[in-house]
Amino acid sequence: MITYADLAESVILGDEDLVIEQVNSLVAAGNNPLEIINDGLIGGMNVVGVRFKAGDMFVPEVLMSARSMAAGVEIVKPLISSSDMGASIKVLLGTVKGDLHDIGKNLVRIMMESSGLEVKDIGIDIAPEAFAAAIKEYNPDILAMSALLTTTMNQMKATIDKLAEEGLRDKVKIIVGGAPISQEFADSIGADGFAPDAASAADLCKELVKK
Ligand code: B1M
């Protein structure tokens, strides 16, 4: 019998075929789709994050793990009923201007979507003006910004300032995240929230919209 630990191990190995096979078996055996994601797929990805930080895994391996995880999420996503989580919550997601890192942002999107949130991912290197235009176009509940560089994290503040200038600041809740970002930084730029990882970013959106 396949366990969540087995699935997590396949994610860590980046074995996409095995992940697909195991997720299909877990689904066929009647396991809860959210448990498959949280305990199996994300469980594995969390280990990958720790090993990556420690220098025990490298970028190509992280990408293989992320791809395997995403393949598993794709299988269970249709099985998560919209009543499980707030499907009506709309999130606009992007990496800030000057920053091309998107692996973490993509994980955030996967986690949000698998939690039932509706996500419009507008990509990388997004200038404050482009975030403002996208808010007007998509009318999201949440703006979620990612930054991986100490040289680009200030673009989050520039974006918040731009939204204030255009009268859009109070139309959205703003959350920020990425390796150099902290709760203190989020507070200092007037964001509504900070999430240290992809899973808590999805939870934070639901909390903020409830308020
Ligand atoms: Co770059 N890079 N990089 N890089 N890169 C870092 C970030 C760096 C720490 C490496 C280092 O020097 N040790 C360093 C930044 C130093 C600093 O600013 N203090 C760095 C640098 C310097 C650079 C360049 C300047 C290098 C150069 O060209 N000289 C350059 C900049 C390019 C640019 O953006 N303009 C550059 C380029 C690149 C690549 C293109 C080669 C590649 C990016 C590929 C891609 O993303 N498609 C790359 C990579 C892969 C990395 C490292 C190795 C890995 C980043 C990653 O994907 N981590 C990174 C070193 C490291 O982190 N150890 C590094 C895995 C990912 C799952 O984690 O993104 O942290 P992370 O996301 C997490 C959380 O942070 C959080 O959730 C995710 C999952 O739990 N999270 C959020 C992320 N966004 C969130 C948003 C939220 C909430 C949570 O709410 C909205």
Side-chain angles (χ1 to χ4, degrees), residues 45-46 49 52-53 59 62-63 93-95 98-108 112 124 143-152 156 175-180 193-202 204:
M45 212 54 213
N46 286 341
F52 183 67
K53 256 192 199 124
V59 172
V62 173
L63 288 175
L93 172 69
T95 300
D99 201 322
L100 308 178
H101 294 86
D102 69 355
I103 299 171
K105 170 186 69 63
N106 294 344
L107 281 180
V108 169
M112 287 180 173
I124 53 176
L143 168 62
M145 289 186 279
S146 178
L148 262 286
L149 298 170
T150 46
T151 48
T152 59
M156 291 173 161
I175 70 164
V176 291
F194 157 74
D197 54 53
S200 40
L204 180 60

Side-chain angles (χ1 to χ4, degrees), residues 37-50:
I37 291 182
N38 290 326
D39 299 345
L41 298 167
I42 294 189
M45 212 54 213
N46 286 341
V47 175
V48 170
V50 171

Side-chain angles (χ1 to χ4, degrees), residues 1-198:
M1 203 185 92
I2 290 151
T3 64
Y4 294 135
D6 294 332
L7 178 58
E9 191 55 36
S10 304
V11 170
I12 297 165
L13 292 172
D15 189 335
E16 187 173 335
D17 291 342
L18 194 54
V19 167
I20 291 171
E21 190 186 312
Q22 290 175 331
V23 169
N24 280 326
S25 301
L26 286 164
V27 168
N31 289 274
N32 180 308
L34 285 175
E35 275 179 24
I36 296 175
I37 291 182
N38 290 326
D39 299 345
L41 298 167
I42 294 189
M45 212 54 213
N46 286 341
V47 175
V48 170
V50 171
R51 292 192 184 167
F52 183 67
K53 256 192 199 124
D56 296 333
M57 280 181 83
F58 301 98
V59 172
E61 297 163 307
V62 173
L63 288 175
M64 283 171 70
S65 295
R67 203 172 305 133
S68 306
M69 174 188 157
V73 169
E74 279 308 308
I75 298 170
V76 283
K77 217 158 66 175
L79 307 174
I80 300 170
S81 75
S82 54
S83 62
D84 276 340
M85 308 271 175
S88 58
I89 301 174
K90 274 206 267 182
V91 181
L92 178 71
L93 172 69
T95 300
V96 298
K97 183 178 173 182
D99 201 322
L100 308 178
H101 294 86
D102 69 355
I103 299 171
K105 170 186 69 63
N106 294 344
L107 281 180
V108 169
R109 186 189 65 231
I110 290 168
M111 277 313 302
M112 287 180 173
E113 287 179 343
S114 51
S115 295
L117 307 182
E118 186 185 331
V119 183
K120 179 71 195 170
D121 182 348
I122 55 172
I124 53 176
D125 192 17
I126 305 299
E129 302 73 36
F131 274 122
I135 287 174
K136 287 181 202 153
E137 184 175 352
Y138 302 113
N139 197 23
D141 302 291
I142 308 256
L143 168 62
M145 289 186 279
S146 178
L148 262 286
L149 298 170
T150 46
T151 48
T152 59
M153 56 198 274
N154 288 326
Q155 286 299 319
M156 291 173 161
K157 165 116 175 45
T159 302
I160 293 176
D161 289 348
K162 181 73 189 165
L163 299 189
E165 194 186 304
E166 298 209 8
L168 297 168
R169 173 63 187 94
D170 296 332
K171 291 194 188 306
V172 285
K173 298 283 185 191
I174 299 178
I175 70 164
V176 291
I181 311 301
S182 62
Q183 183 65 57
E184 292 68 38
F185 177 75
D187 293 342
S188 76
I189 62 170
D192 297 301
F194 157 74
D197 54 53

